[in-house]
Amino acid sequence: MAGVLGLIVGSFLNVVILRLPARMEWFWKRDAREMLELAAGDEAAPPDLVRKGSHCPHCKHPLAAWDNIPLLSWLSLRGRCRYCKAPISIQYPLVELLCGIASAIVVWKFGVTWQAAAGLVFTWMLVAAAGIDFRTQLLPDSLTLPLLWLGLLASLVPLFVPAHEALVGAAAGYLSLWAVYWLFKLATGKEGMGYGDFKLFAAAGAWMGWTALLPVIIIAALSGAIVGIVMLRVRGQDRSVPFAFGPFLAIAMWIWLIAGNDILAAYLRFTGLR
C-alpha cells in the first residue's frame, strides 16, 4: 500500500519538479520589475501546481485520466505521447518508481507508525528537492525550509531524535557548509555550492541530530565525486563544469534515516570497536 501511495505521490512530484522552478523564475522577474520600477511584462504566469491539469509539453494536449496512471501509462504508451507521438521524458516513470520503492522501504522499516508517516513526508520532499536541483541547480526555500521546520517539530515528540539534538544539528548543519562555502570562496574566488545546500544540510541535522552530519556529508561527497567524474567523462566536459550537490545530499540523508544505525553498527563491528 505504501508503494502504491508512493507511485501516486511521485506522479504529483513530477509536476512540482517541472512547474515550481518556472513559477519561481516568473515571480523573481515580476518582483525585479517592481523594484526597478519597470513596466510589467506581458508574459503569463506559468501553470500552478494543482489547478492546471496535466498536458503534453510538446503538443499541449490535455491528458486523459488513463494517461496519468503512474508508471503504467508511460509503459503502455511506450514512452510517447498518445496524441503527437513525441517522446515522453524518462524522468516521469523514474521519479514515480523511485518514490514508490522509497515509500515502501520507509513503511517496511518503521511499520505503520508516526515515524513512518514523518519518514514518508521526509522522503517525498527530498525527491522533489533533488529533482529540481538536478534539473536547475536550485534548491527552493519552499521545500528546504519546511523540511527543516518539520524536523524540528518532529523532535518535540520525539520521533527520531530529541529536541536538543535536533537544534544543535540544524545549527551545525547550516554553519558547517556555510563555513566551507566562504573558505572556498576566499581561497579560489569561486562559489563551491549554493545556500540551498546549507538549508538542506540543516534539515538533515534537524531530523537526525548532529551525530548524523559527518556520515551524511561523507556519503554525499563520495557519491557525488564518483557520479560527477563519470558524468563529466561521459559528456566529455572538464572539471570546471558545475553540477548539483543537492541530489547526493538528499540520497545520503535518506540512507542515514533508514539505515544509519545499521551502517554504524556494521562499521563498529568491522573496526573491532564493538
Side-chain angles (χ1 to χ4, degrees), residues 208-258:
M208 296 173 285
W210 64 271
T211 57
L213 295 178
L214 181 58
V216 165
I217 202 65
I218 290 174
I219 295 171
L222 289 176
S223 59
I226 294 170
V227 174
I229 291 172
V230 171
M231 289 178 62
L232 291 178
R233 290 188 175 179
V234 169
R235 296 175 180 177
Q237 299 170 328
D238 58 50
R239 295 182 180 179
S240 63
V241 176
F243 67 94
F245 183 59
F248 304 103
L249 193 54
I251 291 170
M253 289 168 61
W254 187 84
I255 289 174
W256 200 257
L257 184 76
I258 299 299

Side-chain angles (χ1 to χ4, degrees), residues 23-265:
R23 289 186 64 81
M24 290 168 56
E25 183 178 358
W26 186 87
F27 281 112
W28 290 339
K29 291 180 178 179
R30 185 200 64 180
D31 294 343
R33 291 191 188 99
E34 291 179 358
M35 292 179 65
L36 297 173
E37 299 182 352
L38 299 176
D42 55 1
E43 181 183 359
D48 61 24
L49 304 183
V50 178
R51 288 179 294 179
K52 178 70 174 180
S54 297
H55 58 275
C56 173
H58 301 282
C59 66
K60 309 302 181 183
H61 194 289
L63 300 183
W66 50 85
D67 294 328
N68 265 329
I69 302 173
L71 196 59
L72 296 180
S73 291
W74 190 89
L75 293 173
S76 65
L77 293 171
R78 297 181 180 180
R80 293 190 175 274
C81 173
R82 183 187 302 275
Y83 308 98
C84 68
K85 305 305 179 183
I88 303 171
S89 172
I90 191 68
Q91 171 194 309
Y92 293 95
L94 285 181
V95 170
E96 292 165 356
L97 183 61
L98 172 64
C99 201
I101 293 174
S103 299
I105 292 174
V106 167
V107 176
W108 169 78
K109 172 67 177 181
F110 296 111
V112 184
T113 62
W114 287 111
Q115 274 188 314
L120 288 175
V121 174
F122 178 83
T123 300
W124 299 337
M125 295 185 75
L126 286 181
V127 170
I132 291 174
D133 197 25
F134 181 79
R135 287 176 56 89
T136 65
Q137 295 188 17
L138 295 172
L139 277 172
D141 285 352
S142 55
L143 291 175
T144 56
L145 293 182
L147 187 63
L148 168 60
W149 287 111
L150 285 173
L152 293 175
L153 289 173
S155 71
L156 298 177
V157 176
L159 291 178
F160 299 102
V161 294
H164 67 278
E165 289 189 24
L167 287 170
V168 173
Y174 187 93
L175 292 174
S176 59
L177 288 193
W178 177 87
V180 171
Y181 167 89
W182 280 107
L183 287 173
F184 183 82
K185 188 172 183 178
L186 291 173
T188 66
K190 301 177 181 179
E191 295 184 357
M193 63 183 68
Y195 276 64
D197 296 315
F198 311 167
K199 299 165 190 173
L200 187 58
F201 200 39
W207 281 82
M208 296 173 285
W210 64 271
T211 57
L213 295 178
L214 181 58
V216 165
I217 202 65
I218 290 174
I219 295 171
L222 289 176
S223 59
I226 294 170
V227 174
I229 291 172
V230 171
M231 289 178 62
L232 291 178
R233 290 188 175 179
V234 169
R235 296 175 180 177
Q237 299 170 328
D238 58 50
R239 295 182 180 179
S240 63
V241 176
F243 67 94
F245 183 59
F248 304 103
L249 193 54
I251 291 170
M253 289 168 61
W254 187 84
I255 289 174
W256 200 257
L257 184 76
I258 299 299
N261 291 334
D262 297 329
I263 294 173
L264 182 59

